[in-house]
Amino acid sequence: MGRLPVYLRALVEMAERGALTASSEAVAEAAGVNPPKVRKDLSNLGIAGTRGVGYDVAYLIHQIRSELGLTQRWPVLIAGVGNLGHALANYKGFDERGFEVVALVDADASLVGQEVAGGLVQDIANLEAIAREKEVAIGMICTPADAAQGAADRMVAAGIRSILNFAPVLITAPPEVAVRQVDLSVELQILAFYEQRREALGRLAHRDPL
Amino acid sequence: MGRLPVYLRALVEMAERGALTASSEAVAEAAGVNPPKVRKDLSNLGIAGTRGVGYDVAYLIHQIRSELGLTQRWPVLIAGVGNLGHALANYKGFDERGFEVVALVDADASLVGQEVAGGLVQDIANLEAIAREKEVAIGMICTPADAAQGAADRMVAAGIRSILNFAPVLITAPPEVAVRQVDLSVELQILAFYEQRREALGRLAHRDPL
DNA sequence: CAGTGTGAACCTTTTCACAGCA
DNA sequence: TGCTGTGAAAAGGTTCACACTG
């Protein structure tokens, strides 16, 4: 369930503010959803609150963390150390949430050997060996589009079963490998779609008032 | 419809390879969905193909572009020129798809005046004036979490009606403003969830074979 | 009384099957 | 014959109302 991380973020913030208990309404507001959805989600997860009071924040955080597998740290590998790869390697939020960038690889020989975010960039040709040695669980692809599938194939060969792909192409992988696609310009295009619609509606409204 | 940009990407790739016509099956495969979905989507959009042949690639590209509002260029402003903002300012894919980064702003005085991706970083205090002057349509928030809502408020005040938020917080805006949230560590957490489930299932299978 | 837990209604999306046309 | 166009069925997810309990 994709909402769990959002609930978790909201709950951690509440806990930091000293809240001991939280109603479904409070969680819903902080997560941007409606209260029944929160209750259903938690109920489906087998998490119970206290009627008339709400949910125990600390317990709820623990339960969601364990459901999300965040009670352990996950070693992450980044393939492609261009602008985006560089930015992600330096992103503090990953470490805070239990993800540790343990390896950086790139195909560009001029980048190999350079230090980025406290780690050395290695040759992508060695991806498999590196991933196995560091027991990488999650791979992030930040290469250009034409190198993405190759990077994915190496990751699969290395036994990586979770891939986060930022390259603007569809990559294919065996069904046992979970692939998530994040295409930044797709997000912009969706916004442009709404802008476009708004303008079209505006023209319509102007043409035919009321 | 969030699939349109993906279809578009697939179709542009096909066109570059010289395809003049494409069946719903071909588009579906390239976009990672099933053929009936492609047909339904296009049908709902009022786009018709030729029975027995498929869709005219060039016409389809044109139609989807116009539906997505990509026949015009959109001026984009980036708030927060840290690692991520820097990477996005340099990202070529935006320009190729009709998005032009026309302004960069940051709250950090040591960054203001610096040149990033061929543009000068300006003070976030001037966001409203800059956005109005450049007629910015879309704002991207790449600030730390605690500065995100402030940046959003300035954008709304500047008349920006589409916001893409990369900060790991929920930002609120008036209903007429379209907000999309992209949280990179949420994506990782979802992958961790699958890893976690796989391990749990693995243990189960091991305990009770067949 | 405040706020959870949940079954039932509801709505949207996806899938299917097949009729219909170049 | 091949592939589109589309209603009808199925699935999935969301909302609602309200019984229930600490």
Side-chain angles (χ1 to χ4, degrees):
Chain A
M1 190 74 69
R3 283 187 294 267
L4 249 42
V6 182
Y7 295 165
L8 180 57
R9 201 172 62 197
L11 287 160
V12 168
E13 200 175 312
M14 285 173 181
E16 281 169 359
R17 287 183 190 166
L20 296 176
T21 186
S23 69
S24 62
E25 189 180 347
V27 177
E29 166 144 23
V33 299
N34 49 357
K37 203 179 288 186
V38 172
R39 295 203 296 273
K40 243 281 132 96
D41 287 345
L42 296 181
S43 169
N44 288 338
L45 251 118
I47 300 173
T50 317
R51 300 187 193 224
V53 180
Y55 297 87
D56 182 296
V57 173
Y59 177 69
L60 193 44
I61 288 175
H62 176 78
Q63 283 296 310
I64 294 181
R65 281 225 174 101
S66 101
E67 189 72 21
L68 287 173
L70 300 181
T71 49
Q72 57 182 283
R73 289 187 70 78
W74 296 101
V76 174
L77 176 148
I78 296 179
V81 194
N83 284 310
L84 185 60
H86 207 281
L88 295 178
N90 279 298
Y91 182 46
K92 305 286 184 299
F94 290 155
D95 195 73
E96 285 165 12
R97 289 170 179 80
F99 300 96
E100 191 174 350
V101 178
V102 296
L104 302 164
V105 301
D106 203 295
D108 184 346
S110 69
L111 280 173
V112 173
Q114 299 232 344
E115 191 180 316
V116 170
L120 237 52
V121 178
Q122 296 178 271
D123 194 317
I124 198 168
N126 302 326
L127 192 155
E128 188 171 343
I130 298 162
R132 288 197 186 279
E133 188 210 324
K134 304 265 189 177
E135 296 182 322
V136 168
I138 298 176
M140 295 179 40
I141 298 177
C142 305
T143 65
D146 53 17
Q149 185 61 56
D153 292 343
R154 285 180 202 272
M155 287 178 181
V156 170
I160 292 175
R161 288 168 311 174
S162 296
I163 296 176
L164 185 51
N165 178 33
F166 288 95
V169 281
L170 187 75
I171 62 172
T172 58
E176 70 270 18
V177 177
V179 177
R180 286 190 71 84
Q181 184 83 26
V182 178
D183 188 328
L184 304 176
S185 59
V186 162
E187 299 297 327
L188 277 185
Q189 287 174 53
I190 293 170
L191 285 175
F193 170 74
Y194 291 126
E195 281 282 340
Q196 159 77 7
R197 270 185 98 76
R198 225 164 1 209
E199 281 185 14
L201 290 171
R203 273 196 302 277
L204 218 71
H206 191 263
R207 196 172 293 159
D208 190 343
L210 265 197
Chain B
M1 190 77 69
R3 283 187 295 267
L4 250 41
V6 183
Y7 295 164
L8 181 57
R9 201 172 62 197
L11 287 160
V12 168
E13 201 176 311
M14 287 174 180
E16 280 167 358
R17 287 183 189 164
L20 295 176
T21 185
S23 69
S24 62
E25 190 180 347
V27 176
E29 166 145 23
V33 300
N34 49 357
K37 204 180 285 186
V38 172
R39 295 203 294 273
K40 248 287 134 84
D41 286 345
L42 297 181
S43 168
N44 288 338
L45 252 121
I47 299 173
T50 317
R51 298 183 193 226
V53 181
Y55 298 87
D56 182 295
V57 173
Y59 177 69
L60 194 44
I61 289 175
H62 175 78
Q63 284 296 310
I64 295 180
R65 281 225 174 104
S66 100
E67 190 72 21
L68 287 173
L70 300 182
T71 49
Q72 58 182 283
R73 291 187 70 77
W74 296 101
V76 174
L77 176 147
I78 296 179
V81 194
N83 285 310
L84 185 61
H86 208 280
L88 295 179
N90 279 298
Y91 182 46
K92 305 286 184 300
F94 290 155
D95 195 72
E96 284 165 14
R97 289 170 179 81
F99 300 97
E100 190 174 350
V101 178
V102 296
L104 302 164
V105 301
D106 202 295
D108 185 345
S110 69
L111 281 172
V112 173
Q114 299 232 345
E115 191 180 316
V116 170
L120 236 53
V121 178
Q122 297 178 271
D123 193 315
I124 198 168
N126 303 325
L127 192 155
E128 189 171 342
I130 297 163
R132 289 198 184 277
E133 188 210 323
K134 304 263 188 177
E135 294 183 323
V136 168
I138 299 175
M140 295 178 44
I141 298 177
C142 305
T143 65
D146 52 19
Q149 185 60 55
D153 292 343
R154 285 180 204 272
M155 288 179 181
V156 170
I160 292 175
R161 288 166 312 173
S162 296
I163 296 176
L164 186 50
N165 179 32
F166 289 94
V169 282
L170 186 75
I171 61 171
T172 58
E176 70 271 18
V177 177
V179 177
R180 286 190 72 83
Q181 186 82 25
V182 177
D183 189 327
L184 304 176
S185 59
V186 162
E187 298 297 327
L188 278 185
Q189 287 175 55
I190 293 170
L191 284 176
F193 169 74
Y194 291 126
E195 280 283 340
Q196 159 76 6
R197 271 186 98 77
R198 221 159 10 205
E199 282 184 15
L201 290 170
R203 274 195 304 276
L204 218 71
H206 192 261
R207 197 172 292 158
D208 189 343
L210 267 195

